[in-house]
């Protein structure tokens, strides 16, 4: 253990929008079904930036405060956590010290209808690590139950590659599942950053649908093409609405997965939906949409909010990654005391791919 | 046949927003798989009013014109049609003259993905009777294929009771199916007119969910209570948001089916949704909603446009009605030459329940 | 507490097929997330008889031993448990002493794919109460996690009525869900004992399907009729195959739920299935079926084994029972020291309905 | 047209189990919605052999006669048909002469619940081409409705490659859909002939599951490996039960798709099923299985008969094939007058892959 046996370092948000502080905290001691994980990799996610800034963008430019949603500061952020088992509560079964694991962070209270069917990510009163409880920007993290751990084996996967599966990968996968695609569908992927690229891999791995990737950056679109997009559309250079309508025999897209989810992108989405289409909203950019109500029944649209994924989804993702069916990519690595810098770089759009902190 | 053997009377919209005209038309002669039905009952539906007026209300008060959606005038409206088989094309099987039938009016082109799975109501290029083709405000109606006919037997159901099943009943049923309720769910039914009441009967018949009925009219709410609503809320007299939050242990509704679908009702709906809730939009009142985009993923909402139902749905409805599990009600009866008057009464809110024309 | 503070009485199977013994055991002390329940009602279930006898009937009359399936003796049987919270582990939340609860007994190991989606009843390595762990034929029972408790309120439901919901009710409900009925379906319920009757109530409450109830006992069939069966068939007095074929326009049943599941009943079932039919096997009578393999694809049958239900299913059942949509019935009451007698009566077919032990 | 304008050649089964005869028949003239197709490729399928022999194998070696199932002789077999549009009934829309099309042969009567949701392959009273109506072993085939035609374009797909999609491909696809796999599942594919190989491609294309391919022929297994099987098992050389149990961490397979479906193969399948497993029976080899009834509920197995697929499934397959996601292979080509020889070769196991007749 670090410093001395009872203390660990953590990079914390003490007040919203102020620089992160490196603090020394008591290292938790696992009881009952709890497990203490020594963090090896903690992904840096765009939603960490929102938690740091303290708000999302609501209707009419009004901020939606994180504190109104139950987030409490000081907080150790970080929900993409992979590491090794350090110590175990007395009721833990099936795990032993030093095993390499990925942590499922979207923990629920356990008693609501969503939790009862294993969709803790959609719990009425969530207790997610790194958001409502201290997370992975630290040397150690306490996981409340061993059932949230998924073994990633010794040889097959390193922790840097694995960590982003628990949010970036899972969010992409949850969105692809919500789109419920068939091989005859045309799906538009809006935004080809880390999540968009992962979703392209996943659409190919588990649906067989035809992929139209859309972005405003040609370089990203070239990567999207390489990852499996059938067609790419630069929505800055050509009219996205015309483009999709053309590419779909004038019928429109069967499904759209929008990883941006800002006013402008969703306004365009609504114009190239086929009758019966599913519009899956994933990104946290926010803002508002002026939705035509009568079009909802007559066009039979479904607008679906998609938030991360279930523990079972994460197990499926790990299975795909272990066999090389999907290939997550890490682009930037940071030390724990660079956590604030990492968030700033992400906010400034300077991380292409996924950043990971190695405490 | 009427007048002489080759002519029939029809009540038609010649120009939008002008009085209906009684015209004499050539009686169609069925060929191939077609069947000619002698209309006995033709329901008067609120969407007939929209087709007559020529528009729906869009965003910012802009009208959405029916002609922009492919409706052509002159048109014989009427899509809730029950009658007897008059004559048959040479390829028709399984039907014979004088059999009593209910007509499925939501006919598709037959080649799109929706049609291929029997959801012709959601066809890319719909050919619905009474909207895109001449309908039931006439002595005879031509049905393009015998597969769109459902026998209603001799004794069990009269045509007046049956006719509204093909739209009012079907729309309520499709909406209930889209809400995908479990017995542990709280569902709010917004609007307790004919469709709302039918949906209450259907929620009880096939889901077991707990029903909160909402309206601004106490009399209607009393009927809703009698039809099976567990709780009633007058949203004019009490704050609907507070009411639903209270009635659901501060969690919000698991599902809302909005048969009004106007700006004001949907704005309220959005405030009493539980996380993960489904909001099913059915009504054609229209207008716009300012939708908070970031709330869609974080709250994991699903907004679902629901439009009528499939032929299989209608067969299921007929089965329920035959056994008395649901009990459709007809309140007003009209002659064919009173069709215009019927539409005017409906527009003016003077028909409580369902009106039916008997040509 | 009974006797002295540290001991409780339990009716136990010490050796298979020998009389139950009343033993004094140490009263468990709940730790972590565990809860100790003071048992008020413990249902007597036919599967308790199998656990007592030590086997099920397999192929060719060969016994399938319970010990080969991991059951260990001595064992306190009893998996239909309702009572009051006695004491709580230090991590328990949301429950307090003396609250009335129903226990979900189909507890899993927690880490398999079934557990991860809340279907612990189908766990790879089950730990069910009363089968793999000590159950409710005792003054107290230890529940390993508070999430397995469902509050049944003070006034609304007594424990005798509630207890059988966790197996008899749940098994019927799970079977009805597996049959996946629509209102246009004909479903045959084979066996109109306690589970069959409950399934009839549930088919009516949540599906709208037409019910054909089948048994060899006219009295039971009369009750089935009263509970909502549309048609009854005495398969001793008339040929069940002919009867169902007649009743279904010569098409056969869309679904069969067989609560007997013996060679003879299933052989008959196979003869009155409609193409595409679902045959849901529930009972534990056992024996073998000679299945024609080529008929499976050409007739597109689905044979579905149905085993109890999930925790979420039980919550839904409790919701239905609280509102009186379903009405469980208890017919016989026993003291704890009559447990052996109760099992013998059940084995001899002398309990019509459901027996409950009140320790 | 051939011979003269009014006659065409067809290879017909005049009496079961006698050599096929080349007959001259009147060329049908399409009416109404019918289309006449000039056959270019007609696949030779193992079920043609059963139709020729006149029976399937039932329980206890008893034959199940095709005539008892409504097949009438003389019959032109052939249900895998691709060709060009020759002439059109007067109600046909959207097709024109000389367009290249694949024919959906699993035509239903149109009025049953299966037909109403587009699953005509599961119709109560099927009218499949080549089985209940004259099929593709002929110069021309009459298709009763243009909606059964799927365009395969000019450049993208030749008719030889396309024809087997309508049965071999579709049956594999329907089976894969019935297995309802997730990426964390282990699926065993029993039989790696044409259908098995196609199913391996499809499992990879649309599910992400881990594939264990099983056969008794090492050469076929090597091809299976190349097509994407993760693991291969020669069930002649090693104990298939031990092998699968080992390969699945002693848990058993999550799903099995058995393209043989003979007594011996299914007996083995039953021994390596995981709790909750799905066993999808596809092959028409036949025979009987002695099924342990009590295991069905306690192990929660699902045995699912899978028969071809729907028109929508075929459209999805064509979409996958056009984009090269799946790659059907044709191994043998025959002239029309070699049709009998082709059937004999298939019966004798001398066609590895798929044979196609080019009339």
């Amino acid at each position: 253990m670090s410093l001395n046996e009872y203390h660990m370092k953590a990079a914390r948000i003490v007040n919203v929008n102020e620089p992160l502080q490196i603090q020394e905290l008591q290292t938790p001691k696992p009881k009952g079904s709890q497990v203490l994980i020594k963090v090896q990799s903690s992904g840096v996610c765009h939603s960490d930036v929102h938690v740091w800034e303290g708000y999302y963008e609501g209707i009419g430019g009004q901020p939606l405060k994180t504190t109104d949603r139950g987030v409490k500061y000081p907080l150790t952020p970080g929900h993409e956590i992979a590491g090794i088992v350090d110590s175990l509560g007395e009721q833990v079964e099936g795990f032993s010290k030093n095993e390499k694991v990925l942590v499922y962070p979207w923990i629920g209270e356990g008693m609501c209808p969503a939790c009862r069917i294993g969709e803790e990510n959609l719990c009425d009163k969530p207790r997610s690590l790194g958001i409502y409880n201290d997370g992975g920007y630290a040397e150690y993290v306490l996981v409340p139950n061993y059932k949230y751990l998924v073994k990633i084996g010794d040889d097959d996967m390193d922790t840097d590659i694995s960590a982003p599966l628990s949010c970036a990968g899972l969010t992409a996968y949850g969105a692809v599942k919500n789109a419920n695609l068939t091989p005859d569908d045309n799906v538009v992927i809006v935004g080809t950053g880390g999540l968009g690229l992962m979703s392209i891999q996943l659409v190919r791995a588990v649906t067989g649908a035809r992929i139209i990737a859309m972005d405003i950056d040609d370089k990203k679109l070239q990567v999207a093409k390489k990852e499996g997009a059938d067609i790419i559309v630069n929505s800055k250079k050509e009219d996205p609405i015309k483009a999709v309508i053309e590419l779909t025999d004038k019928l429109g897209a069967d499904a759209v997965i929008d990883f941006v989810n800002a006013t402008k992108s969703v306004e365009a989405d609504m114009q190239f939906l086929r009758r019966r289409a599913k519009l899956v909203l994933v990104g946290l950019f926010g803002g508002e949409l002026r939705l035509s109500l009568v079009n909802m029944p007559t066009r039979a649209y479904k607008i679906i909010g998609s938030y991360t994924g279930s523990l079972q989804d994460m197990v499926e993702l790990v299975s795909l990654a272990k066999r090389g069916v999907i290939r997550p990519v890490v682009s930037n690595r940071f030390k724990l005391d660079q956590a604030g810098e990492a968030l700033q770089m992400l906010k400034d759009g300077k991380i292409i791919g996924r950043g990971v902190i190695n405490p």
Side-chain angles (χ1 to χ4, degrees), chain A:
Chain A
M1 286 201 174
S2 72
L3 300 174
N4 66 51
E5 210 175 330
Y6 306 107
H7 288 81
M8 65 171 191
K9 282 200 292 179
R12 309 193 86 202
I13 304 169
V14 178
N15 292 303
V16 298
N17 231 353
E18 292 182 5
L20 268 66
Q21 298 183 16
I22 304 295
Q23 296 189 335
E24 269 183 45
L25 300 177
Q26 185 112 20
T27 306
K29 239 185 107 57
K31 286 181 299 187
S33 301
Q34 299 170 340
V35 182
L36 186 70
I37 300 299
K38 184 165 168 41
V39 180
Q40 295 194 315
S41 310
S42 188
V44 181
C45 175
H46 210 93
S47 66
D48 296 340
V49 175
H50 288 292
V51 172
W52 177 33
E53 295 180 325
Y55 74 96
Y56 299 92
E57 192 184 330
I59 297 183
Q62 288 292 92
L64 299 166
K65 287 190 181 180
T66 51
T67 47
D68 290 345
R69 299 180 168 227
V71 179
K72 280 170 190 144
Y73 302 90
L75 172 78
T76 308
H79 49 265
E80 294 186 341
I81 309 165
I84 58 171
V85 173
D86 183 85
S87 49
L88 312 121
E90 66 284 0
Q91 290 174 342
V92 176
E93 301 173 44
F95 287 91
S96 50
K97 198 174 156 72
N98 288 329
E99 275 189 300
K100 203 156 68 172
V101 293
L102 175 63
V103 178
Y104 179 78
W106 310 107
I107 294 170
E109 183 207 22
M111 304 287 290
C112 82
C115 288
R116 280 195 295 264
I117 58 168
E119 299 186 350
E120 298 197 25
N121 54 311
L122 305 182
C123 176
D124 285 329
K125 298 169 188 165
R127 303 180 172 189
S128 321
L129 301 181
I131 297 176
Y132 298 104
N133 283 296
D134 283 339
Y137 285 24
E139 289 177 304
Y140 295 89
V141 70
L142 185 70
V143 178
N145 196 303
Y146 60 96
K147 75 173 183 182
Y148 299 115
L149 304 178
V150 176
K151 297 182 187 185
I152 49 178
D154 285 320
D155 329 304
D156 32 23
M157 298 227 303
D158 78 14
T159 53
D160 280 359
I161 291 294
S162 303
L165 288 178
S166 68
C167 177
L170 198 55
T171 298
Y173 192 37
V176 169
K177 283 199 166 182
N178 274 320
N180 197 20
L181 301 165
T182 75
D184 192 38
D185 281 341
N186 286 299
V187 59
V188 179
I189 306 291
V190 179
T192 58
L195 271 73
L197 288 180
M198 180 55 80
S199 80
I200 289 170
Q201 291 189 18
L202 286 162
V203 169
R204 282 188 74 88
V206 302
T207 79
R210 183 166 167 261
I211 303 168
I212 301 170
M214 189 178 283
D215 204 306
I216 53 172
D217 180 331
D218 275 333
K219 257 193 230 160
K220 283 186 181 171
L221 285 168
Q222 285 311 322
V223 181
K225 183 111 201 185
K226 235 178 51 190
E227 291 292 348
D230 293 276
I231 299 150
I232 54 177
V233 173
N234 186 323
S235 56
K236 214 174 183 174
K237 296 191 177 165
E238 54 179 324
D239 178 347
I241 300 163
K242 243 191 223 164
V244 174
I245 296 296
E246 282 300 307
L247 288 166
T248 56
D249 287 336
K250 312 220 175 284
L251 293 164
D254 298 281
V256 179
I257 306 178
D258 193 327
F259 289 104
V260 179
N261 193 21
T263 303
K264 207 180 151 184
S265 70
V266 183
E267 275 176 356
D269 299 344
M270 293 301 300
Q271 301 302 315
F272 55 65
L273 297 178
R274 187 175 190 170
R275 202 181 186 201
R276 307 175 305 280
K278 281 152 284 184
L279 169 57
V280 182
L281 301 180
V282 191
L284 299 177
F285 196 97
E288 77 183 62
L289 174 75
R290 292 173 66 193
L291 179 68
S292 167
L293 290 172
V294 85
N295 274 348
M296 290 300 296
T298 58
R299 298 282 299 167
Y301 293 145
K302 288 186 170 66
I303 307 181
I304 300 164
S306 188
Y307 183 76
T308 72
S310 69
L311 174 55
Q312 172 63 18
D313 292 337
M314 196 177 86
V315 169
E316 295 174 9
L317 264 187
V318 168
S319 174
L320 288 170
K322 275 187 179 172
R323 285 176 287 138
V325 181
I326 57 169
R327 302 160 313 280
V329 178
V330 168
S331 55
N332 303 53
R333 287 175 175 79
F334 302 90
K335 297 278 164 208
L336 185 56
D337 50 19
Q338 297 171 305
E341 189 183 325
L343 281 185
Q344 189 63 49
M345 281 179 66
L346 188 62
K347 189 177 168 181
D348 297 345
K350 290 181 183 158
I351 296 181
I352 307 299
R354 203 69 179 178
V356 166
I357 294 169
N358 302 122

